[in-house]
């Protein structure tokens, strides 16, 4: 029971808690609370407590209502009283309103009229204000149309910008403003396209007329050079290395054109321009306003970069066209001149644009273009100048390149590569000169008569001696007529050498070279002329067909005089270059060695020709190698040998004027050749048998030769020197004709040997031929004791000779 009581108390407490929770909780959240009631077993008891709690609250409400009821009744009573008063007030207000409406009709009408008037005033003020903003727009648009019709595009663009940015925003949203606003981009495009079209026309015009522009600039540079040379008479060494010249500066100053210029004349008409004393400036030929105008227009449009890129791209294309030479440019100087004029015209325009615009082209861009141009110019000139074989054209081209380089150098462009190329061309010029002088020298050689020059008057004598240096006191003392020792070849060659030096000097002018460099160039070129061209021509003169001994003698005399004139050439070069010949490291002329070599070649040719002539005589020799030993009569020399000696005597008589020991050498050479040839006849393998009679005939011929040598056909030999040429043959013939074998074999190898110059091989070969002759001619020799003894003796001598050869070989 007690446990049941405890449970009921807990249940009562739980129900009380639930009731408090229901009273204090929002009805939306009461579900979980009620669920806890129905989950329990005492929901009936809970409902009873709930009803008791409701009744308790009802009683409290009733008490509260009873407490406030009297105040409510009083309030209703007061409200009923107020309703009556409100009805009276309403009727009074209605009456008062009627009177007020009646009395305010006039005021209302006046106020409406006043309102309408104020609205009109406001509209008028607004209209005036709008017109104030619209009229400038219309005026500005009218001015824009007028500027467009007048092709004043840059002011039109400024007007367009002001119209768009200032006037139209103030004018408001009107149809005509919308139309204007829609037309503004179209007008900008029209202005841009028109300016670009004018620029294209300008670019096309300067491309066509760059030749005239360059020609004008080069004429101005030439006038400036003439002025410099007249003011400063000393040689111009560094012309063109002074930065920007006055003439180009004047050109740039004169070509300054207002960018707002309204006349787009482009290139002025210069085709019909008459030549005047004064050369027109480039500013008289070019109007740059299209460039300035287009630049400003594109700048205002915010397209300056586009314009700069387009201008530079187009000018690069034009540069490539200008730098492309014609295929036949090398044929005439005019072709080179047009090529240079176009290039100068191109860069004169670029230089002016560089200095009269701010950034359209910059120095780096112009220098890049010039570097490109310079490489192409040098390559083109190297290619085309290599086709030229006319020295006059090369010289004119060099002067034109110098003028071209000086012109562009005056505008600040570096031109050192051009002068380097001119130095390369100088080598080519030298080669062309050498070819021309080769022809000239050959003509002189072919026209020469190889005879001393006859002079009959003093005037003639002075004329020749003035052409080439010649002094001979003995010849001057002789009366006229007389002969100069040399032929026409000498003065002509000497004059041509001086002409060649002058031609070299002409090319060296205006190359900014020092006197020493010019002197060195001339000397090296002259050395080439001497050692190569003239040397080959002299060899040609010596080696050509039908050159006789007299001509060769004259060649020797001529080259001797030219050799003596070489130091006069040295002085001549020093005089025209103002460089002393004894300067340190100065190149010396090789003329002396050239003429010496030619003289030696002529001398050798004389010796060769003499020997060839001797061989022709020797071919007539017809020895009977099986001739019998002659009886008591004296043998006569062979006919061919008599003719040969007569020829040599007449020939050597011509050699009296030869310098040095040429005559003695020729005479000795001839005698040696005769001796050698006769020895070869003896030892000829085809001659298998030789009789003693043949040896006696040969001995007689050798005696005739010795007689010729002893007579001294040429002066200058000491004693019997010339006889030594026949000593080998003489000793050999003496050995056989005298049959002095015992002496030969006994004294062989001794300095005092009588037959010192007889070679045992030679003696053996000849002895074997005699043995063969003796064997065949004496078929019955074995039956005669003397012949058998002689045959034995020959066999014995042959054996001894072989032993002697073997001993010396060992």
């Amino acid at each position: 029971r007690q446990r049941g009581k405890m449970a009921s108390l807990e249940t009562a407490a739980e129900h009380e808690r639930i009731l408090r929770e229901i009273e204090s909780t929002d009805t939306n959240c009461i579900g979980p609370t009620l669920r806890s009631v129905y989950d329990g077993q005492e929901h009936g008891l809970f409902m009873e407590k709930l009803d008791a709690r409701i009744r308790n609250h009802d009683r409290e409400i009733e008490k509260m209502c009873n407490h406030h009821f009297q105040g409510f009744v009083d309030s209703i009573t007061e409200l009923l009283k107020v309703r009556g008063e409100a009805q009276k007030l309403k009727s009074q207000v209605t009456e008062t309103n009627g009177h007020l409406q009646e009395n305010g009709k006039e005021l209302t009408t006046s106020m409406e009229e006043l309102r309408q008037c104020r609205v009109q005033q406001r509209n008028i003020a607004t209209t005036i204000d709008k017109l104030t903003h619209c009229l400038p727009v219309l005026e500005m648009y009218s001015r824009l149309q007028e500027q467009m019709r007048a092709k004043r595009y840059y002011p039109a663009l400024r007007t367009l910008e002001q119209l768009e940015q200032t006037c139209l925003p103030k004018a408001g949203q009107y149809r005509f403003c919308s139309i204007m606003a829609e037309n503004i981009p179209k007008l900008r495009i029209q202005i841009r396209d028109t300016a670009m079209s004018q620029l294209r026309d300008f670019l096309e015009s300067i491309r066509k007329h760059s030749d005239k522009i360059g020609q004008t600039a080069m004429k101005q540079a030439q006038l400036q050079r003439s002025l410099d040379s007249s003011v400063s008479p000393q040689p111009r060494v560094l012309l063109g290395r002074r930065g920007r010249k006055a003439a180009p500066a004047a050109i740039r100053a004169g070509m300054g054109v207002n960018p707002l210029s309204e006349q787009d004349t482009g290139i002025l008409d210069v085709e019909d321009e008459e030549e005047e004393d004064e050369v027109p400036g480039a500013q008289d030929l070019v109007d740059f306003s299209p460039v300035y105008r287009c630049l400003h227009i594109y700048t205002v449009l915010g397209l300056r970069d586009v314009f700069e890129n387009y201008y530079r791209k187009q000018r690069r294309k034009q540069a490539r066209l200008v730098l492309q030479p014609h295929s036949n440019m090398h044929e005439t100087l005019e072709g080179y001149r047009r090529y240079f004029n176009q290039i100068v015209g191109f860069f004169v325009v670029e230089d002016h644009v560089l200095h009269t615009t701010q950034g359209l082209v910059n120095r780096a861009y112009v220098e890049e273009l010039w570097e490109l141009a310079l490489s192409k110019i040098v390559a083109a000139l190297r290619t085309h100048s290599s086709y030229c074989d006319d020295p006059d054209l090369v010289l004119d081209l060099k002067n034109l390149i110098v003028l071209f380089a000086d012109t562009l150098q005056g505008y600040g462009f570096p031109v050192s590569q051009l002068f380097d190329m001119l130095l390369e061309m100088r080598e080519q010029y030298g080669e062309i000169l050498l070819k021309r002088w080769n022809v000239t020298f050959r003509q002189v050689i072919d026209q020469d008569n190889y005879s001393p020059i006859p002079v009959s008057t003093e005037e003639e004598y002075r004329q020749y001696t003035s052409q080439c240096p010649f002094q001979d006191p003995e010849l001057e003392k002789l009366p006229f007529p007389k002969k100069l020792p040399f032929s026409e070849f000498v003065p002509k060659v000497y004059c041509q050498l001086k002409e060649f030096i002058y031609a070299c000097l002409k090319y060296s002018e205006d190359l900014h070279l020092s006197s020493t460099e010019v002197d060195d160039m001339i000397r090296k070129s002259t050395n080439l002329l001497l050692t190569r061209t003239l040397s080959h021509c002299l060899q040609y003169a010596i080696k050509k067909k039908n050159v006789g001994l007299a001509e060769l003698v004259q060649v020797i005399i001529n080259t001797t005089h030219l050799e003596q004139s070489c130091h006069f050439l040295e002085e001549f070069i020093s005089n025209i270059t103002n460089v002393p010949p004894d300067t340190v490291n100065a190149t010396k002329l090789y003329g002396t060695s050239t003429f010496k070599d030619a003289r030696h070649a002529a001398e050798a040719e004389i010796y060769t020709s003499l020997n060839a002539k001797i061989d022709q005589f020797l071919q007539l020799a017809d020895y009977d190698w099986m001739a019998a030993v002659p009886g008591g009569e004296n043998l006569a020399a062979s006919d061919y040998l008599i003719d040969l000696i007569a020829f040599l005597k007449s020939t050597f008589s011509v050699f009296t004027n030869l310098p040095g020991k040429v005559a003695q050498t020729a005479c000795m050479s001839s005698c040696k050749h005769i001796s050698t040839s006769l020895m070869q006849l003896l030892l000829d393998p085809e001659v298998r048998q030789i009789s003693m009679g043949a040896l006696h005939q040969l001995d007689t011929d050798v005696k005739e030769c010795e007689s010729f040598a002893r007579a001294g056909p040429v002066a200058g030999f000491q004693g019997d020197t010339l006889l030594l040429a026949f000593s080998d043959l003489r000793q050999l013939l003496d050995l056989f004709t005298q049959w002095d074998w015992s002496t030969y074999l006994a004294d062989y190898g001794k300095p005092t040997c009588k037959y010192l110059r007889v070679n045992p091989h030679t003696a053996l070969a000849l002895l074997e031929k005699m043995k063969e002759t003796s064997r065949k001619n004496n078929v019955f020799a074995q039956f005669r004791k003397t012949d058998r003894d002689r045959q034995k003796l020959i066999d014995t001598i042959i054996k001894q000779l072989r032993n002697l050869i073997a001993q010396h070989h060992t």
Side-chain angles (χ1 to χ4, degrees):
R1 186 182 299 168
Q2 190 175 1
R3 193 181 299 117
K5 188 178 181 178
M6 290 295 291
S8 62
L9 289 174
E10 290 178 359
T11 302
E14 179 65 21
H15 288 170
E16 186 66 26
R17 183 186 67 76
I18 293 172
L19 288 174
R20 285 196 302 274
E21 189 172 346
I22 291 173
E23 290 174 347
S24 61
T25 305
D26 189 3
T27 57
N28 294 328
C29 302
I30 202 170
T33 304
L34 294 178
R35 180 180 295 276
S36 63
V37 173
Y38 285 101
D39 288 342
Q41 302 293 327
E42 300 297 335
H43 57 275
L45 182 59
F46 176 75
M47 292 300 294
E48 292 176 358
K49 286 190 175 186
L50 180 61
D51 291 338
R53 182 63 62 91
I54 292 171
R55 288 193 299 272
N56 188 20
H57 282 293
D58 288 341
R59 285 193 297 273
E60 289 180 358
I61 292 171
E62 185 178 354
K63 288 180 182 180
M64 187 176 292
C65 289
N66 290 332
H67 178 72
H68 294 286
F69 178 76
Q70 188 59 42
F72 177 73
V73 172
D74 294 339
S75 297
I76 294 298
T77 303
E78 290 292 330
L79 184 61
L80 290 174
K81 291 179 180 179
V82 170
R83 185 174 65 177
E85 294 295 330
Q87 292 292 335
K88 293 178 182 179
L89 180 62
K90 179 179 179 183
S91 57
Q92 291 177 359
V93 170
T94 303
E95 183 180 357
T96 302
N97 182 53
H99 292 295
L100 182 61
Q101 293 292 332
E102 184 67 26
N103 296 329
K105 284 184 180 179
E106 294 181 2
L107 179 61
T108 303
T109 303
S110 299
M111 291 298 293
E112 181 63 25
E113 292 176 354
L114 178 62
R115 188 186 66 79
Q116 291 293 335
C117 184
R118 292 287 175 85
V119 169
Q120 289 178 355
Q121 287 180 343
R122 186 170 64 250
N123 289 342
I124 291 171
T126 303
T127 302
I128 292 172
D129 181 63
K130 295 298 182 182
L131 287 176
T132 303
H133 290 91
C134 289
L135 283 176
V137 173
L138 295 174
E139 291 174 358
M140 192 166 292
Y141 195 79
S142 176
R143 185 165 71 248
L144 173 64
Q145 294 296 329
E146 182 64 29
Q147 290 169 341
M148 292 293 291
R149 283 193 295 272
K151 297 181 179 181
R152 301 173 58 199
Y153 296 113
Y154 180 73
L157 194 62
R158 286 297 188 186
T159 302
L160 201 63
E161 182 181 5
Q162 187 177 0
L163 181 66
E164 182 183 31
Q165 295 181 359
T166 305
C167 297
L168 282 179
K170 292 181 180 179
Q173 299 295 325
Y174 298 103
R175 181 170 177 77
F176 75 90
C177 291
S178 300
I179 294 173
M180 289 181 184
E182 291 175 359
N183 284 338
I184 284 175
K186 297 178 182 178
L187 290 172
R188 279 203 176 96
I189 293 174
Q190 180 183 350
I191 292 172
R192 184 194 67 192
D193 293 345
T194 304
M196 183 56 70
S197 176
Q198 291 178 353
L199 177 68
R200 290 193 187 100
D201 294 341
F202 170 81
L203 292 174
E204 182 64 21
S205 297
I206 60 173
R207 187 186 70 81
K208 291 180 179 178
H209 294 85
S210 60
D211 184 19
K212 186 67 176 179
I213 299 170
Q215 180 182 359
T216 301
M218 291 181 73
K219 281 185 179 179
Q220 289 176 332
Q222 193 167 17
L223 287 175
Q224 185 68 30
R225 287 175 59 183
S226 301
L227 181 63
D228 289 347
S229 61
S230 62
V231 173
S232 179
Q234 62 269 23
R236 185 170 60 92
V237 176
L238 293 175
L239 178 62
R241 299 184 184 272
R242 57 183 180 278
R244 300 191 167 272
K245 295 181 181 176
I251 292 174
R252 288 193 294 272
M255 286 193 293
V257 181
N258 186 352
L260 300 181
S261 170
E262 306 306 327
Q263 299 299 323
D264 299 339
T265 55
I267 303 299
L268 302 181
D269 184 12
V270 297
E271 299 301 329
D272 299 330
E273 178 183 309
E274 296 182 358
E275 291 293 333
E276 299 179 357
D277 293 337
E278 293 185 1
V279 178
Q283 71 274 14
D284 299 323
L285 306 177
V286 184
D287 178 12
F288 288 88
S289 58
V291 179
Y292 305 139
R293 185 175 301 111
C294 198
L295 173 62
H296 286 286
I297 286 172
Y298 270 73
T299 302
V300 172
L301 292 175
L303 300 173
R304 182 185 177 98
D305 291 342
V306 175
F307 174 73
E308 289 180 359
N309 292 334
Y310 176 81
Y311 177 85
R312 296 183 183 185
K313 181 179 178 181
Q314 294 302 314
R315 290 297 279 168
R316 280 195 178 94
K317 288 182 179 179
Q318 291 186 353
R320 283 193 287 270
L321 291 176
V322 165
L323 294 170
Q324 185 65 34
H326 293 290
S327 58
N328 61 343
M329 181 178 74
H330 59 276
E331 295 178 357
T332 61
L333 185 66
E334 192 60 32
Y336 288 106
R337 183 174 283 111
R338 284 196 300 271
Y339 180 63
F340 289 140
N341 286 343
Q342 289 177 354
I343 296 173
V344 171
F346 178 88
F347 282 100
V348 165
V349 170
E350 288 305 289
D351 181 78
H352 185 74
V353 171
L354 172 65
H355 287 87
T356 54
T357 60
Q358 295 180 351
L360 176 57
V361 296
N362 52 33
R363 174 57 65 182
Y365 160 79
V366 176
E367 288 178 352
E368 177 189 354
L369 266 185
W370 174 241
E371 287 297 325
L372 169 68
L374 195 57
S375 62
K376 289 185 176 294
I377 291 168
V378 170
L381 290 177
R382 281 176 178 158
T383 300
H384 284 268
S385 63
S386 64
Y387 300 141
C388 182
D389 56 0
D390 181 6
D392 296 330
L393 179 57
V394 175
L395 188 61
D396 292 339
L397 174 59
K398 165 255 169 184
N399 292 329
L400 187 59
I401 294 174
V402 169
L403 178 59
F404 169 73
D406 285 349
T407 302
L408 287 174
Q409 193 175 40
Y411 285 91
F413 295 102
V415 294
S416 58
Q417 287 188 40
L418 289 175
F419 285 99
D420 293 341
M421 189 209 60
L422 284 174
L423 294 180
E424 294 177 13
M425 280 180 57
R426 196 205 65 78
E427 301 294 332
Q428 177 192 351
Y429 176 72
E431 290 297 325
I432 297 173
L433 286 182
L434 292 177
K435 290 179 182 178
R436 169 174 282 192
W437 258 259
N438 181 62
V439 175
T440 302
F441 285 145
R442 291 202 175 221
Q443 290 175 350
V444 171
I445 289 171
D446 292 337
Q447 295 170 2
D448 193 38
N449 58 7
Y450 295 95
S451 301
I453 302 174
V455 289
S456 55
T457 63
E458 180 71 22
E459 183 179 354
E460 286 185 37
Y461 183 80
R462 297 303 173 195
Q463 178 185 352
Y464 282 109
T465 55
S466 64
Q467 291 178 1
C468 66
F470 173 72
Q471 292 179 352
D472 189 346
E474 295 183 0
L475 183 62
E476 289 181 0
K477 294 176 183 178
L478 296 177
F480 292 98
K482 52 189 174 183
K483 290 184 177 181
L484 298 175
F486 45 80
S487 66
E488 295 277 357
F489 175 82
V490 173
K492 287 182 179 179
V493 167
Y494 189 81
C495 289
Q496 287 301 322
L497 288 174
K498 292 202 295 185
E499 287 297 324
F500 180 85
I501 292 169
Y502 276 128
C504 294
L505 180 64
K506 286 180 182 178
Y507 190 91
S508 301
E509 293 175 351
D510 297 325
L511 292 186
H512 314 316
L513 300 173
S514 64
S515 299
T516 306
E517 290 174 318
V518 172
D519 182 83
D520 186 63
M521 273 188 188
I522 293 176
R523 289 176 181 273
K524 287 181 178 178
S525 299
T526 307
N527 277 334
L528 281 177
L529 179 71
L530 292 170
T531 58
R532 199 168 76 188
T533 305
L534 184 54
S535 176
H536 289 171
C537 290
L538 290 172
Q539 293 297 326
Y540 160 77
I542 294 168
K543 299 292 184 180
K544 70 178 182 177
K545 294 181 179 179
N546 303 323
V547 176
L549 291 171
E551 286 83 357
L552 291 173
V553 169
Q554 190 61 54
V555 168
I556 292 175
I557 295 172
N558 290 345
T559 52
T560 301
H561 284 282
L562 286 174
E563 179 185 345
Q564 294 170 355
S565 66
C566 283
H567 73 278
F568 292 101
L569 273 181
E570 295 260 9
E571 294 178 359
F572 175 72
I573 294 174
S574 299
N575 290 335
I576 64 174
T577 60
N578 295 321
V579 177
D582 55 353
T583 303
V584 180
N585 297 328
T587 304
K588 301 300 180 184
L589 292 185
Y590 300 148
T592 303
S593 59
T594 298
F595 296 123
K596 276 184 179 179
D597 294 342
R599 188 170 68 251
H600 292 158
E603 292 171 2
E605 189 66 22
I606 286 177
Y607 307 148
T608 304
S609 298
L610 271 176
N611 292 342
K613 201 70 177 177
I614 291 170
D615 288 338
Q616 292 177 7
F617 282 102
L618 288 173
Q619 287 175 2
L620 301 175
D622 187 17
Y623 287 102
D624 181 9
W625 299 112
M626 301 301 294
V629 178
E633 70 276 6
N634 292 328
L635 290 175
S638 302
D639 294 338
Y640 84 90
L641 191 65
I642 294 174
D643 295 339
L644 172 59
I645 291 175
F647 163 75
L648 291 177
K649 287 180 179 179
S650 63
T651 300
F652 291 144
S653 65
V654 182
F655 286 10
T656 53
N657 294 327
L658 282 176
K661 297 183 178 181
V662 179
Q664 292 93 320
T665 306
C667 187
M668 177 61 78
S669 173
S670 300
C671 291
K672 284 184 177 180
H673 187 69
I674 294 172
S675 176
T676 303
S677 299
L678 292 176
M679 181 71 78
Q680 289 174 353
L681 285 176
L682 279 176
L683 302 177
D684 188 358
E686 294 183 2
V687 180
R688 300 182 179 277
Q689 305 173 43
I690 296 179
S691 67
M692 187 59 73
L695 291 181
H696 280 286
Q697 180 61 51
L698 191 62
D699 181 66
T700 302
D701 290 344
V702 172
K703 287 179 180 178
E704 185 68 22
C705 293
E706 291 173 336
S707 176
F708 165 74
R710 197 175 291 107
V714 173
F717 285 108
Q718 295 181 357
D720 295 335
T721 304
L722 196 56
L723 287 174
L724 294 176
F726 300 98
S727 59
D728 291 6
L729 191 56
R730 165 51 52 210
Q731 291 184 14
L732 179 64
L733 291 173
D734 285 348
L735 176 61
F736 276 85
T737 56
Q738 298 175 15
W739 206 254
D740 195 9
W741 291 103
S742 58
T743 304
Y744 176 75
L745 295 172
D747 296 342
Y748 180 79
K750 296 180 180 179
T752 58
C753 179
K754 180 180 178 181
Y755 305 103
L756 184 64
R757 305 181 72 89
V758 177
N759 190 304
H761 292 84
T762 305
L764 178 61
L766 186 56
L767 196 60
E768 287 180 340
K769 291 184 179 185
M770 291 186 67
K771 175 184 175 182
E772 187 69 17
T773 303
S774 177
R775 186 178 66 80
K776 288 189 176 183
N777 290 345
N778 300 288
V779 179
F780 303 102
Q782 63 272 23
F783 301 108
R784 291 196 296 272
K785 184 176 184 301
T786 55
D787 292 330
R788 288 200 307 273
D789 293 342
R790 182 176 180 81
Q791 192 70 31
K792 289 181 181 179
L793 178 60
I794 291 175
D795 291 338
T796 303
I797 295 172
I798 289 174
K799 185 177 180 181
Q800 290 178 342
L801 284 174
R802 286 175 177 168
N803 292 334
L804 185 66
I805 291 171
Q807 290 176 4
H808 281 272
H809 178 71
T810 304

